[in-house]
Amino acid sequence: MTTSFPMNAGDDPYSYSKNSHLQREVLDGAKEMMKEVIIEHLDIKNMLSSSNKFCIIDLGCSIGPNTFNSMQHVVQVVKDKYHDNILEFQVFFNDHVNNDFNTLFRSLPIDRSYYPFGVPGSFHGRLLPSQSIHVAHCSSAIHWLSKTPKELLDEKSPSWNKGLIHYIGASNIEVMNAYVAQFEKDMEMFFNARAEEIVPGGMMVLISPQLSEHLLKFFGSSLMDLVNEGKLDEFLVNSFNVPVYFPSIEDMTKVVEKNDCFSIERIELTHPKSKLVDEADAKTLMINLRAVLEGLFINHFGSKIAKEAFTRTILKSDEISAWMKINYKKACQLFIALKRK
Amino acid sequence: MTTSFPMNAGDDPYSYSKNSHLQREVLDGAKEMMKEVIIEHLDIKNMLSSSNKFCIIDLGCSIGPNTFNSMQHVVQVVKDKYHDNILEFQVFFNDHVNNDFNTLFRSLPIDRSYYPFGVPGSFHGRLLPSQSIHVAHCSSAIHWLSKTPKELLDEKSPSWNKGLIHYIGASNIEVMNAYVAQFEKDMEMFFNARAEEIVPGGMMVLISPQLSEHLLKFFGSSLMDLVNEGKLDEFLVNSFNVPVYFPSIEDMTKVVEKNDCFSIERIELTHPKSKLVDEADAKTLMINLRAVLEGLFINHFGSKIAKEAFTRTILKSDEISAWMKINYKKACQLFIALKRK
């Protein structure tokens, strides 16, 4: 059973739509590379044959505004490349069925130059008929696992992650192994589905930020504070593991090669300009993380403990900023451009 | 500027999802005809050429469950006709951008045999690239005008509809003329868009119920009661006109012929079995109407007056039932099957 916890819905102060600056920086950092790979590697004449429909999907789009920005960018790059006014663009906005599609649709840009569609469902499974997509895009999303690895839920397992909420900071290597195994299973499903859906010659760009994962531990320590104060059962912390895995170049190369339907046109670790990270703006980063993680926390701990943990962590922003200044060098993200063989 | 007032969202007691029995009866009544026209008139071999994607759209789908029922029916009829397992079905669920797509997506049947998509936007305009659709379906929706005819909003116009909220029951012929003119303008846009979107040989089935329009007058009289009690300004009633027009066979023939891109394969006024109408179940019918009209009423009168008008009208159910037994004979609906030339 796949689990999913969407970004915070609507547009209130803790909503994702108001708290996605970090994801925006990620996208801005990737725009130029995105343009280059499309210009160098996309061969539209062979792909389209008799039809004029050009189909783009944003996998794990959430609710905007970032997705509108990237989709318009892809449309514009393709238009500029082909100096072609006869193409009709379809943009498929995909996310879990419990994503807030109402907010997404209601904030669609008026001046868009494409036909928009909502595609509800997990990108770990099939979403579209075969050979439907010319460019697939997935930013700040493949690091979400389809579920928490089940070994992490078993107190008797060697992967029991005592006192922590993620593999980062865990000295127990079995914890990391459980995350990696789940990631590989998920990516197998992901690539099998995309191999069917993307036309031969079509492209897929994956962008995976590695900016804020170290900050997860501060939420973990706020939870442990609550345990030490007797307000929370430690079992609940031990059995909670944020289901995100940040892949390395080697991880991604391995899953792409295993699938064998895509060629890697470009893969690199880049350092996007991130004002938030450079300035160690922990407060904004933590509020961003809250918008992303709140649903997940509430599901496990209930609303009261979740809110208490977020409030306490955000109050530690100065301390976190100080930590960031010493420990962080640069923001970084993985950029991968693939072509369907 | 197009206005739109979606059916009541969510799934509470006055939601459309819990109050769409009448629309369900309409669809059940049309299922057999739908099957016949697809079997007789759809020529899939010529339409699909090299692709296996079969695309169906439900125009003005609202939030289910009716739309799932009709879409699965169309898929099944096409499958049965072609004994073909290689077709991949795409179903496009269209409604206004402020429709509750979240509820729609979350209630998608698990065992569906198609890929679902949400298409936000008015069906009076373009929704899809050219030649994208093989079967278009529109039930209980084309009677919605894109807006209230502007003449009806002008106190000095000969179409000023004093004391009433619809053309039904109006002795002033100018009121009816204003509705007809708006309907013809809307249908011109509707058919221009569909002519582009539907492939040559593709079909469109329109189902327009004429069951409950006479019941609108009871809401009008509840509003006038409030005027007479000094609780509501009469101007607000006079300037309010429910933007629905129930076309005749002649109306539809005229708009189709003007457009000239579709041939009429079948057009008839039918009498679906309607338990609600046969049994003069005014209470259920009025609650159904409430789920459909509440957004529109609240927008014009505010929440307090709207709720008061609905409550009062539903309290008159016995009186309305008695009226129905004398004045209603049978439920009826317009069924139209068209083929793209």
Side-chain angles (χ1 to χ4, degrees):
Chain A
M1 184 65 191
T2 292
T3 49
S4 80
F5 300 96
M7 309 296 101
N8 280 352
D11 57 2
D12 77 9
Y14 289 118
S15 65
Y16 181 77
S17 65
K18 293 270 168 70
N19 291 288
S20 45
H21 317 91
L22 186 61
Q23 292 80 357
R24 170 65 183 267
E25 290 182 340
V26 165
L27 286 169
D28 286 347
K31 269 188 168 177
E32 195 52 36
M33 283 189 288
M34 183 81 158
K35 187 172 172 178
E36 288 167 13
V37 296
I38 289 177
I39 290 176
E40 278 171 43
H41 300 290
L42 193 74
D43 180 5
I44 201 175
K45 297 254 154 64
N46 281 330
M47 271 193 318
L48 285 180
S49 63
S50 63
S51 165
N52 294 322
K53 296 183 194 86
F54 192 95
C55 300
I56 307 164
I57 190 165
D58 194 18
L59 297 153
C61 64
S62 190
I63 55 174
N66 291 334
T67 186
F68 304 131
N69 199 290
S70 353
M71 292 300 97
Q72 190 59 48
H73 180 63
V74 176
V75 168
Q76 200 53 52
V77 170
V78 175
K79 275 191 178 174
D80 289 349
K81 177 169 177 179
Y82 292 98
H83 309 289
D84 196 340
N85 290 320
I86 62 159
L87 286 180
E88 293 187 286
F89 291 89
Q90 292 184 280
V91 173
F92 295 92
F93 293 96
N94 158 256
D95 212 316
H96 280 288
V97 64
N98 55 356
N99 181 51
D100 186 359
F101 282 95
N102 287 349
T103 296
L104 179 81
F105 285 166
R106 287 164 201 180
S107 49
L108 276 163
I110 300 287
D111 60 347
R112 62 187 180 266
S113 53
Y114 53 81
Y115 295 100
F117 303 89
V119 187
S122 161
F123 59 44
H124 293 115
R126 280 292 294 277
L127 299 165
L128 299 139
S130 53
Q131 304 199 12
S132 299
I133 292 294
H134 303 101
V135 171
H137 174 268
C138 182
S139 179
S140 302
I142 56 160
H143 60 279
W144 282 98
L145 300 177
S146 67
K147 59 183 179 188
T148 303
K150 67 177 189 308
E151 305 87 317
L152 300 178
L153 303 172
D154 176 5
E155 204 170 357
K156 303 213 174 66
S157 145
S159 324
W160 185 245
N161 195 14
K162 195 169 157 58
L164 295 169
I165 63 168
H166 197 236
Y167 64 83
I168 291 189
S171 52
N172 178 356
I173 187 70
E174 295 299 331
V175 172
M176 173 66 128
N177 289 346
Y179 272 92
V180 173
Q182 186 64 50
F183 179 75
E184 289 181 353
K185 264 185 254 170
D186 287 347
M187 282 300 102
E188 186 173 346
M189 295 192 290
F190 178 90
F191 278 102
N192 286 346
R194 300 301 88 70
E196 292 292 327
E197 292 165 0
I198 298 176
V199 301
M203 297 200 67
M204 174 151 68
V205 171
L206 306 173
I207 303 162
S208 180
Q210 309 190 1
L211 300 170
S212 52
E213 69 275 25
H214 283 88
L215 301 182
L216 279 173
K217 70 173 182 184
F218 292 101
F219 290 110
S221 68
S222 295
L223 288 164
M224 283 308 290
D225 291 348
L226 290 166
V227 169
N228 294 330
E229 292 166 26
K231 292 176 178 162
L232 176 61
D233 182 348
E234 192 186 343
F235 181 86
L236 276 178
V237 178
N238 296 345
S239 60
F240 179 67
N241 290 278
V242 178
V244 294
Y245 177 75
F246 299 94
S248 64
I249 289 187
E250 293 69 30
D251 289 325
M252 288 309 302
T253 307
K254 184 176 169 190
V255 294
V256 173
E257 285 177 354
K258 184 171 181 212
N259 172 271
D260 202 30
C261 292
F262 291 89
S263 58
I264 298 178
E265 302 298 334
R266 186 159 170 178
I267 184 163
E268 62 186 282
L269 206 58
T270 65
H271 299 282
K273 192 173 153 39
S274 171
K275 203 164 165 278
L276 295 176
V277 173
D278 291 350
E279 296 179 1
D281 181 353
K283 189 166 182 191
T284 307
L285 285 167
M286 300 318 275
I287 294 175
N288 256 248
L289 272 171
R290 175 179 187 158
V292 169
L293 297 171
E294 192 160 343
L296 184 72
F297 273 62
I298 289 175
N299 179 267
H300 189 84
F301 296 104
S303 181
K304 196 169 154 238
I305 291 287
K307 285 196 197 318
E308 177 74 19
F310 283 115
T311 306
R312 284 180 181 224
T313 312
I314 291 164
L315 284 174
K316 291 180 198 161
S317 295
D318 288 346
E319 181 195 325
I320 300 171
S321 290
W323 181 88
M324 286 182 72
K325 280 175 192 159
I326 297 167
N327 291 279
Y328 266 40
K329 290 191 181 79
K330 271 182 176 171
C332 75
Q333 68 184 21
L334 197 54
F335 179 94
I336 309 146
L338 304 163
K339 191 168 184 171
R340 179 72 175 90
K341 290 178 188 169
Chain B
M1 186 63 192
T2 292
T3 50
S4 80
F5 301 96
M7 310 298 100
N8 280 353
D11 58 3
D12 77 8
Y14 290 117
S15 65
Y16 180 77
S17 65
K18 292 270 167 71
N19 291 286
S20 45
H21 317 90
L22 186 62
Q23 292 80 358
R24 170 66 183 267
E25 291 182 339
V26 165
L27 286 169
D28 287 346
K31 268 189 167 176
E32 195 51 37
M33 284 189 288
M34 184 79 160
K35 187 173 173 177
E36 287 166 15
V37 296
I38 288 178
I39 290 176
E40 279 170 41
H41 300 290
L42 193 74
D43 180 5
I44 202 177
K45 298 255 155 63
N46 281 330
M47 270 192 320
L48 284 180
S49 62
S50 65
S51 166
N52 294 322
K53 296 184 194 87
F54 192 95
C55 300
I56 307 165
I57 189 165
D58 194 18
L59 298 154
C61 64
S62 189
I63 56 173
N66 291 333
T67 185
F68 303 131
N69 199 290
S70 352
M71 291 301 96
Q72 190 58 49
H73 180 63
V74 176
V75 168
Q76 202 51 53
V77 170
V78 175
K79 276 189 176 174
D80 290 349
K81 178 170 178 181
Y82 292 98
H83 309 289
D84 197 339
N85 291 320
I86 62 159
L87 286 180
E88 293 187 286
F89 291 89
Q90 291 184 280
V91 173
F92 295 93
F93 293 96
N94 158 257
D95 212 316
H96 281 288
V97 65
N98 55 356
N99 182 51
D100 185 359
F101 282 95
N102 288 349
T103 296
L104 179 81
F105 285 165
R106 288 163 202 181
S107 49
L108 275 162
I110 300 286
D111 61 347
R112 63 186 181 266
S113 52
Y114 52 81
Y115 295 100
F117 302 90
V119 188
S122 162
F123 60 44
H124 293 115
R126 280 292 294 279
L127 299 165
L128 299 140
S130 52
Q131 304 199 11
S132 298
I133 292 294
H134 302 102
V135 171
H137 174 267
C138 182
S139 179
S140 302
I142 55 160
H143 59 278
W144 282 98
L145 301 177
S146 67
K147 59 182 179 188
T148 302
K150 66 178 190 305
E151 306 88 315
L152 301 178
L153 303 172
D154 175 6
E155 204 171 359
K156 303 213 172 68
S157 144
S159 324
W160 184 244
N161 193 14
K162 196 170 157 57
L164 295 168
I165 64 167
H166 196 236
Y167 65 83
I168 292 190
S171 53
N172 178 356
I173 187 71
E174 295 299 332
V175 172
M176 172 67 126
N177 290 346
Y179 271 92
V180 173
Q182 186 64 49
F183 179 76
E184 290 181 350
K185 262 185 257 172
D186 288 346
M187 283 299 104
E188 186 173 346
M189 294 191 290
F190 178 90
F191 279 101
N192 286 346
R194 299 301 88 72
E196 291 292 328
E197 292 166 0
I198 298 176
V199 301
M203 298 201 63
M204 175 152 66
V205 171
L206 307 173
I207 303 164
S208 180
Q210 309 191 0
L211 301 170
S212 51
E213 69 275 25
H214 284 87
L215 301 181
L216 278 174
K217 71 173 182 185
F218 293 100
F219 290 109
S221 69
S222 294
L223 288 165
M224 284 308 290
D225 290 348
L226 290 167
V227 168
N228 294 331
E229 292 166 25
K231 291 176 180 162
L232 176 61
D233 183 349
E234 192 187 344
F235 180 87
L236 276 178
V237 178
N238 296 344
S239 61
F240 179 66
N241 291 276
V242 179
V244 293
Y245 177 76
F246 297 94
S248 64
I249 289 187
E250 293 69 30
D251 288 326
M252 287 311 300
T253 307
K254 183 174 169 190
V255 293
V256 173
E257 285 177 353
K258 183 169 181 213
N259 172 271
D260 203 31
C261 292
F262 292 89
S263 57
I264 298 179
E265 303 299 334
R266 185 159 170 178
I267 184 164
E268 63 186 280
L269 207 58
T270 65
H271 299 282
K273 191 173 153 40
S274 170
K275 202 164 165 280
L276 295 176
V277 172
D278 290 350
E279 295 180 2
D281 181 354
K283 189 165 180 193
T284 307
L285 286 168
M286 301 317 277
I287 294 176
N288 256 247
L289 272 170
R290 176 179 185 157
V292 169
L293 297 172
E294 191 160 342
L296 184 72
F297 273 63
I298 288 175
N299 179 267
H300 189 85
F301 296 106
S303 180
K304 198 170 153 235
I305 291 288
K307 285 196 196 319
E308 177 75 19
F310 283 114
T311 306
R312 285 181 180 224
T313 312
I314 291 165
L315 284 174
K316 290 182 199 163
S317 295
D318 289 345
E319 180 195 324
I320 301 171
S321 290
W323 180 88
M324 284 181 73
K325 282 175 189 157
I326 296 166
N327 291 278
Y328 264 40
K329 290 191 183 78
K330 272 182 175 171
C332 74
Q333 68 184 22
L334 197 54
F335 178 93
I336 309 146
L338 304 164
K339 192 168 183 170
R340 179 72 174 90
K341 292 178 189 169

